[in-house]
Amino acid sequence: MTVTWEELGWERLADGVGRCRLPGWDCTAGLVLGADAALMVDAGSSLDEGARLREGARRLAGRRVTHLALTHPHFDHVFGAAAFADAEVYGAYGAGGTDALFAPGGQGREALRADAVAEGLDARAARAAADALAPVRHEVRGERRLDLGGGRQVLLADVGPGHTGHDLAVLVPGAPAVVFCGDLVEESGEPQAGPDAAPGRWPDALDRLLGLGGDDALYVPGHGAVVDAAFVRAQRDALAARFGVSH
């Protein structure tokens, strides 16, 4: 039996499109429903969180999640990925291996586990999630369209580097269009630039996001409330000034 977005505590953004703001790090997980398939955007910060997202998506869609898009390889977005073991997993080009890439600084799953524990995740949960990580099966270079059925088309776009070396955006066309931005955009705090960021290229990545969605889209940040194009432009300009990037 399906339920409404609101009954599960999710936020409906457009017809068949919504997101869940997860506790702890205020991280977004998105869901896009088609007639034949369901796409999850990001997977939460632990196996338990991933399992809760999987069950919520199943109740909303009336079917299992068939596709999972990971916006970037940080623990709070990927540690629940193993809960979607039977889904087709997509990431930005270069994000195809866990040991080399799923970590700040590109130092492997052990560094990703350590980062999660340093940020407050239970050590046993961090170890279980890190050990369960599997390689991204489908790397997106440029753009890739997914047909979810019933006329629902989704565009995956490799828009980075910026927040990391492997930033993937998800565009859901419609009225309004919805763009899942990952941590290229943050609303509930200042954008974070860790050791795997490319600060000099981040403003350009935001320009690519704006080119995907246009002026009237809803932009869904990796953390925080949904924003508009004006917010993304202001964040682009602030990041350019912060990192001394001419734009």
Side-chain angles (χ1 to χ4, degrees):
M1 178 180 178
T2 58
V3 296
T4 67
W5 302 91
E6 292 77 14
E7 285 174 324
L8 287 185
W10 291 50
E11 180 181 359
R12 181 183 180 276
L13 303 174
D15 184 30
V17 186
R19 63 93 175 246
C20 179
R21 286 177 73 168
L22 298 165
W25 292 277
D26 191 22
C27 187
T28 280
L31 182 63
V32 185
L33 305 180
D36 305 319
L39 167 70
M40 178 70 69
V41 182
D42 286 339
S45 62
S46 68
L47 294 175
D48 285 346
E49 202 160 68
R52 290 194 295 273
L53 288 170
R54 180 190 63 208
E55 176 60 17
R58 185 195 64 77
R59 295 182 66 189
L60 287 164
R63 67 173 65 86
R64 69 178 180 87
V65 169
T66 54
H67 301 73
L68 172 64
L70 300 175
T71 61
H72 63 286
H74 284 170
F75 84 90
D76 49 337
H77 297 261
V78 306
F79 260 9
F84 302 91
D86 53 354
E88 297 295 322
V89 182
Y90 298 81
Y93 179 73
T98 56
D99 288 332
L101 297 171
F102 275 155
Q107 298 174 29
R109 72 179 73 198
E110 182 60 26
L112 189 58
R113 180 207 60 79
D115 183 57
V117 173
E119 292 294 330
L121 185 65
D122 174 78
R124 286 176 294 180
R127 170 58 66 194
D131 288 347
L133 279 175
V136 171
R137 184 175 300 175
H138 304 286
E139 296 183 9
V140 177
R141 189 170 195 169
E143 297 180 351
R144 179 166 182 167
R145 292 188 181 276
L146 298 180
D147 185 353
L148 302 184
R152 172 72 76 192
Q153 299 280 329
V154 175
L155 181 71
L156 308 181
D158 180 5
V159 295
H163 175 65
T164 72
H166 313 284
D167 293 308
L168 186 76
V170 178
L171 167 67
V172 187
V178 179
V179 182
F180 290 96
C181 307
D183 286 3
L184 286 168
V185 179
E186 295 194 38
E187 185 276 334
S188 56
E190 186 174 339
Q192 299 300 302
D196 57 343
R201 300 177 70 179
W202 200 330
D204 286 341
L206 294 182
D207 278 335
R208 286 190 284 275
L209 281 181
L210 290 164
L212 286 174
D215 286 343
D216 298 324
L218 301 177
Y219 292 87
V220 186
H223 303 264
V226 175
V227 300
D228 59 12
F231 182 96
V232 178
R233 288 193 190 94
Q235 195 154 96
R236 174 201 63 193
D237 294 344
L239 284 167
R242 174 180 166 188
F243 297 123
V245 179
S246 18
H247 192 71

